[in-house]
Amino acid sequence: RNSSSSGRGRPAWTPVCVSDPNLDLCPQLFVLCHGLLQLTQLLYSSYFKSSITTIERRFGFSSTSSGTLSSLHEVGNTILIVFVSYFGSRVNRPRFIGLGGLLMAVSALMLTLPHFLYPPYEFDSVLHDHRASASHRVWLLMGGAQLLFGVGSVPIQPYGLSYIDDFAGAANAPLYIAILFSVSVFGPAFGYLLGSAALRVYVDVDKTGSATHQELTPYDPRWVGAWWLGLLVSSCCLALTSIPYFFFPRTTTRLEPEETKKQKSSLLDFLKMFPSLLVHLLLSPFFLMLVLSQCCFSAVIAGLATFLNKFLEHQYSASPVESSLLIGAVNLPSLAVGILVGGIIMKRAGLSLKAIPRFSVVVLSLSALLLVPVFFMGCSSQDVFGVNPPHATPSGAVCYSNCSCPEGGYNPVCGSDGVEYVSPCNAGCTNFTRHPNNTFKVQVYTSCSCVADRQAQAVPGHCPNSCPHLLLPVMLTISFAGLIASLSHNPIYMMVLRTVPPEEKSFAIGIQFMLMRVLAWLPAPALFGMAIDSSCVWWKRKCGSKLSCGYYDNNTLRNRYLGLMLAFKSMGIVFLVMLGWKLRRTREYSLEKTEEGPL
């Protein structure tokens, strides 16, 4: 800011971006700051999703419950985004973005409260009598924090994108927005890497007097990592990246004073005009088909972001630490590369309105075809006594009928006969040997009457899966498919910005994100969670109530999870094909030429 006045009526403190019209630094600074804020916002979201299976295990949530919890922030966002977006050119957009960032920091801090307010984690063990339990109050508390986060995130996208587009102009906006999204995509990568680090630490590491965790390792199916630790880091990062927004100017040099005055209106005027504006946008076939296609592709991303960890853990015996590390180091950087390359293609090729749908259909169809081999890259479920045939027979209960095994107890062991058992009790084991180097850990269970071999022993943990060697090829295939699909990300976004009048830009972006939340980000995680729950063959229980799932039918899980993703992607491609057909009768229109006005 300049500390001196340079004209009558000019304020003593004037933003640099307004005082020097030739200065092109402000758009670049804003892109940097907004990229960092979106990076930390997505870091929080991805970290929460990377910890979702750990939170399921800690509090006994089902996949449907955890999927709903992960998408609850979309509710608060959806309710307010249209109204906030409409007033984008009438308020101080940078200041509202900063306030939203601080509110997100507070909500991330609230999400950690269950760890500090509730007793330490308890798990099934022969060394103590603790049992896992579920708490609906925890879900409500975390759900409230997610709703608050959604309210804080309302101004981030619509205000940020429209502010950049106003500053940079049509020639530079595609590249700037591509850079913005490319920087932002590293947020999820960092979030998953943070999750990989935090989940190596035991959940109650900060609570003294608890030595029971020494019985577990990160590879134990009962292990719960420090899911709350990354949320504290996310909260601090959100607060720090929100501060610079309070120093950006309200308007840009491209916005004339007369235009600013013309744009001002009251909330009552907006409420009166809202139905007609909404109908006007939704009746535009270009806008509607573009947004519907984006909703389909966003549903795929939501399913991957929320449950890819669980898919890798159950299909390929990856630990939460390994799955988060692979997603953060391999999958998400490939998306960033794809988005950046898509922006460069957009800038250099000058894709026309007719060319964008054709280009997008080609790359998205190729990415869908790349997912097909993954359907065959998996293994059947492990043989679990009393759960999977041929051991699930009434006569099989005789071997442990005198053991009084607790209902739904979950402490998996692998018998020396190669069969897995839900617990040492279900294996009929009557004795155990402690580990010589760690008296808090069981080395082997002995005298197991249900184990059908001479040794009659069992070791803690799952039996080995025959598919771990497929983990890396599957991740590379999914990552490459994501890179190809993300080439269409920036062209489709820019197409939305150029199909509406400039004065309706913020409102159109708000409607766009509202529809994406209502039709994709909000319901998709719950739909994927329901598909995953429907493949469960054995539930953990306590007092007759279902907790989280213990065992899945792997073939059903793989086919339903991947099949739902492929179905959403195919629907999005159909909408783009319809859009391309509609544009066949429309004149060529280059997104680099704004003099002709919007379509």
Side-chain angles (χ1 to χ4, degrees):
R1 293 177 182 270
N2 296 330
S3 58
S4 61
S5 302
S6 58
R8 186 176 180 180
R10 183 173 177 176
W13 293 90
T14 306
V16 170
C17 303
V18 175
S19 62
D20 189 352
N22 297 320
L23 187 64
D24 194 35
L25 186 62
C26 215
Q28 299 170 9
L29 285 175
F30 189 87
V31 169
L32 174 63
C33 292
H34 206 59
L36 291 176
L37 178 61
Q38 287 194 168
L39 184 147
T40 54
Q41 178 190 0
L42 294 173
L43 181 148
Y44 157 85
S45 299
S46 59
Y47 175 81
F48 187 68
K49 287 177 170 60
S50 74
S51 307
I52 203 69
T53 55
T54 298
I55 293 173
E56 280 184 19
R57 189 176 299 132
R58 171 64 180 91
F59 299 109
F61 297 151
S62 66
S63 294
T64 304
S65 297
S66 61
T68 304
L69 179 64
S70 70
S71 63
L72 265 184
H73 67 281
E74 306 293 355
V75 175
N77 192 295
T78 302
I79 294 173
L80 297 175
I81 191 167
V82 175
F83 300 95
V84 171
S85 298
Y86 183 79
F87 289 101
S89 55
R90 299 158 175 80
V91 298
N92 190 318
R93 286 175 288 181
R95 186 168 298 175
F96 268 74
I97 293 173
L99 291 173
L102 294 177
L103 190 59
M104 290 190 295
V106 172
S107 64
L109 197 61
M110 284 179 58
L111 266 176
T112 66
L113 291 179
H115 170 73
F116 299 102
L117 298 180
Y118 285 83
Y121 168 58
E122 299 176 350
F123 53 89
D124 295 298
S125 173
V126 297
L127 302 180
H128 53 74
D129 297 327
H130 295 158
R131 294 291 310 285
S133 61
S135 175
H136 298 295
R137 289 178 295 178
V138 171
W139 194 94
L140 293 175
L141 177 59
M142 299 182 82
Q146 280 284 80
L147 289 173
L148 186 63
F149 186 90
V151 173
S153 66
V154 169
I156 308 300
Q157 288 272 18
Y159 284 5
L161 292 179
S162 61
Y163 196 81
I164 291 173
D165 197 53
D166 288 344
F167 253 128
N172 295 319
L175 183 59
Y176 279 163
I177 292 180
I179 294 173
L180 173 67
F181 280 117
S182 298
V183 171
S184 302
V185 167
F186 283 98
F190 294 153
Y192 278 95
L193 292 175
L194 178 61
S196 176
L199 296 181
R200 296 175 187 267
V201 182
Y202 185 68
V203 61
D204 293 320
V205 66
D206 60 319
K207 298 181 179 179
T208 58
S210 176
T212 57
H213 70 278
Q214 298 183 37
E215 179 183 348
L216 306 180
T217 67
Y219 293 92
D220 193 294
R222 299 165 295 165
W223 173 269
V224 170
W227 58 271
W228 52 272
L229 194 58
L231 294 174
L232 293 179
V233 176
S234 303
S235 179
C236 294
C237 292
L238 284 167
L240 290 175
T241 53
S242 300
I243 295 174
Y245 288 92
F246 295 96
F247 301 98
F248 280 97
R250 171 173 177 162
T251 59
T252 69
T253 56
R254 298 179 182 274
L255 193 62
E256 297 297 332
E258 295 80 8
E259 185 180 352
T260 304
K261 185 177 180 180
K262 180 181 177 181
Q263 288 177 345
K264 291 183 178 179
S265 64
S266 66
L267 178 60
L268 183 60
D269 294 333
F270 167 65
L271 293 176
K272 291 179 180 178
M273 293 185 295
F274 176 77
S276 60
L277 290 171
L278 179 61
V279 171
H280 172 71
L281 274 178
L282 296 182
L283 288 180
S284 169
F286 303 103
F287 180 82
L288 184 60
M289 284 187 282
L290 272 173
V291 172
L292 289 178
S293 67
Q294 285 182 308
C295 290
C296 294
F297 303 135
S298 296
V300 176
I301 298 172
L304 282 170
T306 308
F307 292 115
L308 183 56
N309 284 66
K310 170 167 281 197
F311 177 76
L312 298 177
E313 291 170 24
H314 287 276
Q315 289 289 321
Y316 310 105
S317 297
S319 69
V321 172
E322 289 175 325
S323 59
S324 296
L325 181 62
L326 282 173
I327 294 172
V330 179
N331 190 25
L332 293 173
S334 66
L335 299 181
V337 171
I339 291 175
L340 184 58
V341 172
I344 295 174
I345 293 174
M346 182 85 179
K347 172 72 174 177
R348 295 190 175 180
L351 295 177
S352 67
L353 200 65
K354 290 182 179 179
I356 290 176
R358 293 197 295 263
F359 171 78
S360 300
V361 166
V362 171
V363 297
L364 289 167
S365 298
L366 179 58
S367 71
L369 291 175
L370 288 172
L371 283 178
V372 174
V374 184
F375 281 90
F376 308 97
M377 300 171 70
C379 297
S380 301
S381 301
Q382 63 266 43
D383 195 3
V384 183
F385 186 87
V387 177
N388 294 331
H391 299 280
T393 59
S395 59
V398 175
C399 63
Y400 63 86
S401 57
N402 296 325
C403 297
S404 300
C405 298
E407 178 193 17
Y410 185 70
N411 182 10
V413 296
C414 183
S416 52
D417 57 353
V419 178
E420 184 167 325
Y421 300 83
V422 176
S423 69
C425 184
N426 291 83
C429 303
T430 57
N431 202 358
F432 63 88
T433 302
R434 296 176 185 265
H435 198 284
N437 299 326
N438 184 358
T439 58
F440 295 98
K441 186 177 181 180
V442 174
Q443 184 178 33
V444 64
Y445 298 94
T446 57
S447 303
C448 302
S449 59
C450 295
V451 179
D453 72 347
R454 293 183 179 180
Q455 291 182 335
Q457 294 180 348
V459 294
H462 292 301
C463 286
N465 188 306
S466 58
C467 283
H469 66 284
L470 295 175
L471 176 62
L472 189 57
V474 165
M475 279 302 302
L476 292 176
T477 302
I478 293 176
S479 300
F480 185 62
L483 186 151
I484 298 298
S486 61
L487 293 174
S488 65
H489 182 274
N490 198 62
I492 292 177
Y493 262 100
M494 293 308 303
M495 196 173 180
V496 173
L497 289 175
R498 293 296 179 263
T499 53
V500 295
E503 65 272 11
E504 296 181 8
K505 192 183 302 178
S506 291
F507 181 71
I509 295 174
I511 294 293
Q512 172 194 9
F513 281 99
M514 182 196 73
L515 292 175
M516 289 172 63
R517 281 163 172 80
V518 171
L519 300 178
W521 291 105
L522 181 59
L527 288 175
F528 277 95
M530 291 172 64
I532 292 173
D533 282 342
S534 68
S535 63
C536 183
V537 295
W538 188 87
W539 292 89
K540 303 173 191 176
R541 295 179 180 273
K542 183 178 182 181
C543 301
S545 300
K546 288 196 304 184
L547 302 179
S548 55
C549 183
Y551 293 101
Y552 294 92
D553 183 315
N554 280 352
N555 290 332
T556 304
L557 172 62
R558 184 172 62 256
N559 292 334
R560 292 181 180 176
Y561 180 67
L562 296 175
L564 192 55
M565 281 197 293
L566 205 57
F568 277 122
K569 184 166 287 191
S570 300
M571 290 171 57
I573 293 173
V574 169
F575 283 121
L576 287 177
V577 170
M578 294 170 59
L579 178 62
W581 176 82
K582 181 71 176 176
L583 288 171
R584 290 181 62 184
R585 300 180 180 179
T586 306
R587 62 184 174 84
E588 284 292 323
Y589 179 83
S590 173
L591 299 187
E592 301 294 336
K593 300 176 182 178
T594 58
E595 292 82 7
E596 301 176 10
L599 182 67

